[in-house]
Amino acid sequence: MFDNFSKKYIYSQNTRGRKTTSDFLKTLGLSFDENVNITINILDGKRIIATASAEKNLIKCIGVDENYRSKGLMNTLISEIISHQYDNNIYDLSIITKIENEKVIQSLGFETICETENIILMENNKNKFKKYLENISKNKVANEQSSAIVMNLNPITKGHMYLIEKASKESEQVYIFIVSEDKSKVPFETRVKLAKESTKFLKNVKIIEGGDYIISSKTFPTYFSKNVDEWINNYCNLDLKLFGKYIAKELNIRKRYVGKEPYCELTSFYNKKMKEILPLYNIQVTEIERLEKNQKAISASLVRKLAEEGNISQIKELVPEATYKYYISKED
Amino acid sequence: MELLNRAISGTMESSDIMVEIIPWDKDLEINLKSDVKEQYGKQIIALVKAILDENGVKKACINLKDKGALDFVISARVKTALYRAARRSQ
């Protein structure tokens, strides 16, 4: 490191530090992702010249001032992030970046897991994805044709049940991948438990924890303020390729069910991409109309809103019994 | 030296090396990534092996990401990682 350069750690409670970082990223056409837990900046005097952040095992929000490129600042930052996360028992890191950065990131010990036309997913433990796929395939029920649904189930509602039951009726076997990220109001373990209880009576339905590679539109990084549409498009491509080319193959998945999305623009775009990309991997996409109650689609967000307002009685007709019981037990 | 946990030391800055030590039940495995692997790979691995021997480490996975570190840097980084893995200060 050069003498006048210094490193600064910024933790989530440091609002001012995060604001300055966000301002710096803006000058590069990027924006700050509020979900990161740690940010490391390099300063020349008092001015930020390079930054990198991480949210658990995902390295994010990397930016280097144009005048300070090719000085190996990226090496410093990634090294710092690795050491910092290591101390917090996070050993394997991932990075999603533009394909142009592949060589640089590769030189820092990362290997390509999946690439699309524009972006690339790289990891510094090449065995992690392999192990993930091995674990997925342990769920396999012997048959030729299976269906899959990727869901947040935050929490499971009668709307979800309608979709699951339809898939169950039309398929030999249904695998439900629950998105693992835990920004949800209902904790992941509870979401899994409620889903398992609610689908117990469907013998050909299996609940699988989505893990790190089932991204879902809700967990896409959102820090690319410039060309948001382009990046969302890129993420959809990456997510769907991971699913179609690798994950689905482990379980002989030939069909993916998805609920029609009347409200969220991002999700409806994702659904559109799904119909475009998954057939390339021999997976048929079936979009199902949402179940309505009083002319409104039943949604988990409505259930969460009612719960927040304390309207537990109104939740009853929107959710399966297990979910209702969960909210009642929470009230006590 | 008994290794208790996985540990890391060093950086991937120019002239440095990042050393990761993962204790395991299998035989010693050393993975080296280096721009100068062709020229100095054997020498680097021999040096690391010698330090591990000295400390009686026989079962571990060692990941090295070298950025052109000199021998004494490599030696210092490996020893630091070992001490961290053994939770010892010297």
Side-chain angles (χ1 to χ4, degrees):
Chain A
M1 281 276 284
F2 303 85
D3 285 340
N4 49 338
F5 290 0
S6 59
K7 277 176 265 185
K8 192 165 183 184
Y9 279 60
I10 294 177
Y11 298 95
S12 22
Q13 64 274 21
N14 183 349
T15 345
R16 235 182 88 202
R18 284 167 79 107
K19 174 80 176 52
T20 343
T21 309
S22 164
D23 291 343
F24 169 69
L25 282 167
K26 257 181 219 153
T27 66
L28 303 175
L30 304 169
S31 71
F32 189 69
D33 186 327
E34 293 294 333
N35 296 312
V36 304
N37 328 99
I38 174 71
T39 299
I40 300 172
N41 290 337
I42 297 178
L43 293 93
D44 182 359
K46 284 189 172 170
R47 203 160 55 89
I48 301 177
I49 54 168
T51 183
S53 298
E55 178 188 354
K56 289 180 199 149
N57 67 329
L58 196 58
I59 300 177
K60 289 179 162 184
C61 307
I62 303 173
V64 179
D65 187 317
E66 268 176 32
N67 301 316
Y68 293 86
R69 295 209 176 138
S70 328
K71 287 189 195 297
L73 295 180
M74 189 83 99
N75 299 33
T76 308
L77 283 173
I78 304 293
S79 302
E80 285 291 326
I81 294 265
I82 291 175
S83 305
H84 180 274
Q85 296 304 75
Y86 218 93
D87 286 342
N88 293 300
N89 304 323
I90 301 171
Y91 305 120
D92 305 322
L93 298 179
S94 309
I95 191 163
I96 296 172
T97 182
K98 288 184 206 157
I99 204 144
E100 298 95 275
N101 294 333
E102 185 177 16
K103 280 247 155 65
V104 181
I105 305 296
Q106 221 165 38
S107 78
L108 299 171
F110 286 73
E111 281 175 45
T112 300
I113 302 296
C114 185
E115 60 180 283
T116 68
E117 209 178 313
N118 301 309
I119 61 169
I120 190 158
L121 167 67
M122 301 180 80
E123 297 193 329
N124 66 351
N125 177 356
K126 62 174 183 228
N127 292 323
K128 197 182 147 202
F129 188 51
K130 223 175 88 191
K131 275 214 185 103
Y132 171 83
L133 291 178
E134 279 168 20
N135 279 330
I136 290 287
S137 71
K138 281 184 194 147
N139 292 293
K140 191 169 174 179
V141 176
N143 70 324
E144 296 296 306
Q145 307 262 318
S146 303
S147 303
I149 318 177
V150 174
M151 295 172 132
N152 250 318
L153 302 182
N154 180 23
I156 187 163
T157 66
K158 280 190 179 160
H160 296 128
M161 288 304 293
Y162 174 73
L163 181 60
I164 294 169
E165 281 176 53
K166 196 159 171 69
S168 161
K169 233 177 266 163
E170 294 175 0
S171 323
E172 281 181 46
Q173 176 66 32
V174 181
Y175 298 102
I176 297 175
F177 292 88
I178 305 190
V179 177
S180 295
E181 58 83 40
D182 231 343
K183 283 164 207 157
S184 311
K185 269 265 155 59
V186 187
F188 179 65
E189 276 116 62
T190 310
R191 285 190 282 135
V192 173
K193 206 179 117 230
L194 296 179
K196 280 189 176 160
E197 265 172 54
S198 306
T199 58
K200 213 165 45 192
F201 72 100
L202 298 165
K203 295 293 168 233
N204 64 344
V205 172
K206 201 154 192 180
I207 307 286
I208 300 178
E209 300 186 6
D212 282 346
Y213 302 93
I214 294 283
I215 317 181
S216 107
S217 60
K218 293 200 171 57
T219 50
F220 287 158
T222 52
Y223 55 95
F224 298 97
S225 62
K226 212 193 212 170
N227 309 324
V228 179
D229 295 346
E230 191 192 316
W231 272 94
I232 288 174
N233 188 32
N234 288 337
Y235 277 112
C236 288
N237 289 339
L238 182 67
D239 172 77
L240 291 165
K241 186 172 177 183
L242 273 173
F243 184 84
K245 189 169 178 188
Y246 303 103
I247 300 168
K249 222 173 111 194
E250 296 293 328
L251 300 171
N252 277 343
I253 291 164
R254 288 277 159 266
K255 213 168 179 187
R256 181 155 158 182
Y257 282 83
V258 62
K260 214 171 191 153
E261 177 55 55
Y263 307 122
C264 172
E265 223 174 287
L266 177 60
T267 308
S268 86
F269 178 75
Y270 180 68
N271 289 355
K272 200 184 107 207
K273 293 291 297 188
M274 208 185 285
K275 286 187 231 161
E276 216 177 282
I277 294 172
L278 291 185
L280 301 176
Y281 301 102
N282 212 357
I283 298 166
Q284 187 194 328
V285 178
T286 308
E287 209 173 18
I288 304 289
E289 290 286 344
R290 292 254 219 139
L291 182 64
E292 293 189 352
K293 192 106 208 173
N294 309 326
Q295 275 91 53
K296 262 189 100 181
I298 295 177
S299 72
S301 60
L302 175 64
V303 171
R304 292 196 304 272
K305 191 173 154 259
L306 289 169
E308 225 154 83
E309 293 165 357
N311 274 325
I312 308 296
S313 59
Q314 279 189 53
I315 291 178
K316 192 173 181 179
E317 54 178 0
L318 303 177
V319 299
E321 207 188 337
T323 309
Y324 180 60
K325 278 189 178 150
Y326 161 72
Y327 278 115
I328 287 186
S329 71
K330 257 186 86 188
E331 258 207 331
D332 298 334
Chain B
M1 187 182 283
E2 194 199 347
L3 304 182
L4 303 168
N5 51 265
R6 50 197 288 182
I8 201 164
S9 77
T11 75
M12 288 179 287
E13 288 169 35
S14 184
S15 307
D16 201 348
I17 184 169
M18 198 164 219
V19 179
E20 182 185 31
I21 295 182
I22 306 171
W24 67 13
D25 301 332
K26 293 176 270 183
D27 286 340
L28 193 62
E29 178 181 313
I30 301 179
N31 304 306
L32 170 67
K33 276 189 185 153
S34 173
D35 299 337
V36 292
K37 191 169 177 173
E38 230 164 86
Q39 298 92 321
Y40 298 106
K42 276 188 187 152
Q43 194 178 319
I44 295 170
I45 288 173
L47 172 62
V48 173
K49 265 195 181 141
I51 299 167
L52 295 170
D53 270 351
E54 240 171 70
N55 289 281
V57 174
K58 293 194 173 64
K59 291 183 186 299
C61 170
I62 317 287
N63 295 317
L64 306 165
K65 283 161 201 162
D66 171 58
K67 290 285 164 195
L70 296 172
D71 282 7
F72 64 88
V73 176
I74 297 171
S75 162
R77 294 305 195 191
V78 172
K79 282 176 189 164
T80 306
L82 275 178
Y83 290 144
R84 285 179 181 161
R87 286 189 224 140
R88 274 171 40 175
S89 56
Q90 51 179 318

